[in-house]
Amino acid sequence: MKRCFLYVLICMLLFSFHFVSMAEDPLVEADALFEKGDIASILESIPLYIKAVKANPNSYEGNWKCARAHREYANLNLEQELEGWKDVCKKYGKDGMRYGKKAKELEPEKIEGHYYYGLCVASYSDGVSILKALKEGLKGSTQKAFYKAYEIDKMFEDGGPMLAIARFWHQLPFPLRNKRRAQKYFEEHHEYFPDDPQGLVYFAELLIDRRKKDEARPLLEKAVAGDEPYYSKWAKELLEKL
């Protein structure tokens, strides 16, 4: 009987220790907030991710998740067109780049560091302009990051690397822009994810730019009927201009 009681007591102590450890782990707490998905919770998760990275600077998981949270917060500000969104993109995009860069240096054969580094640069560019980002020499590192992500797993995050490369080549200013290369990756992404609202709008924009309005129209019509308000609105505006 005493042995049984002792066994139960030890199990309870171990469980309590595990529970307390989880509660005190800023990474676990940050993940729980991030997974809620709303802009306030994602903002709240960022200082916890930073705390986790400070406690363990060489944590790959901590660094890439910190970069991801910065990117997501910046992007939600843009999509919801909140006041001061450009300043938010500038700050959180730039801060996120640092964590993404660290992550890809720690684990160069894993995808998250490369992918979220590139997206943080994209958010930073949304805030300061693509031209300024180019002047700061960010083209090469961004291109390399997206292509490495594509090489590792082009299907990651609903084909994110394919879409990122396509958008990258379309958004660069002349003479760096490469519409044919952009279309190649848009077509590949569309083959795998034909109903993705973001992909539909981005691809349609390129087709319009290439004077292929008849091909762009059905993509925009599908995006308008999609479940993402930001891209539905954008698609509707583009349709009205056709």
Side-chain angles (χ1 to χ4, degrees), residues 195-234:
D195 300 318
D196 175 49
Q198 184 181 29
L200 290 167
V201 172
Y202 284 176
F203 191 9
E205 261 203 329
L206 173 73
L207 291 171
I208 293 168
D209 201 18
R210 301 199 73 190
R211 300 180 181 180
K212 298 179 179 181
K213 294 182 179 181
D214 289 342
E215 294 180 39
R217 187 179 297 277
L219 302 184
L220 293 172
E221 289 172 346
K222 183 182 281 190
V224 167
D227 59 358
E228 294 191 27
Y230 177 73
Y231 293 104
S232 293
K233 178 184 175 184
W234 190 349

Side-chain angles (χ1 to χ4, degrees), residues 101-215:
K101 182 175 184 290
K102 179 68 173 180
K104 65 190 182 78
E105 289 171 350
L106 286 167
E107 296 282 358
E109 295 308 314
K110 291 185 177 179
I111 192 170
E112 295 92 351
H114 299 284
Y115 183 65
Y116 289 111
Y117 169 80
L119 290 186
C120 283
V121 175
S123 286
Y124 177 67
S125 300
D126 288 332
V128 301
S129 82
I130 293 173
L131 284 175
K132 181 169 173 52
L134 287 173
K135 288 178 181 177
E136 293 179 20
L138 293 171
K139 176 185 177 292
S141 62
T142 307
Q143 181 177 337
K144 186 176 180 181
F146 282 148
Y147 273 91
K148 184 63 177 179
Y150 179 94
E151 176 190 319
I152 295 170
D153 181 9
K154 67 181 183 181
M155 304 297 284
F156 182 70
E157 290 290 330
D158 295 332
M162 291 182 274
L163 195 58
I165 292 173
R167 187 68 172 169
F168 172 82
W169 286 116
H170 185 212
Q171 290 303 294
L172 286 172
F174 180 83
L176 299 172
R177 183 182 300 136
N178 191 320
K179 296 178 186 178
R180 288 185 180 180
R181 193 172 295 167
Q183 183 158 345
K184 171 189 171 184
Y185 287 98
F186 275 132
E187 287 174 345
E188 183 180 26
H189 180 267
H190 186 66
E191 181 181 347
Y192 289 108
F193 302 96
D195 300 318
D196 175 49
Q198 184 181 29
L200 290 167
V201 172
Y202 284 176
F203 191 9
E205 261 203 329
L206 173 73
L207 291 171
I208 293 168
D209 201 18
R210 301 199 73 190
R211 300 180 181 180
K212 298 179 179 181
K213 294 182 179 181
D214 289 342
E215 294 180 39

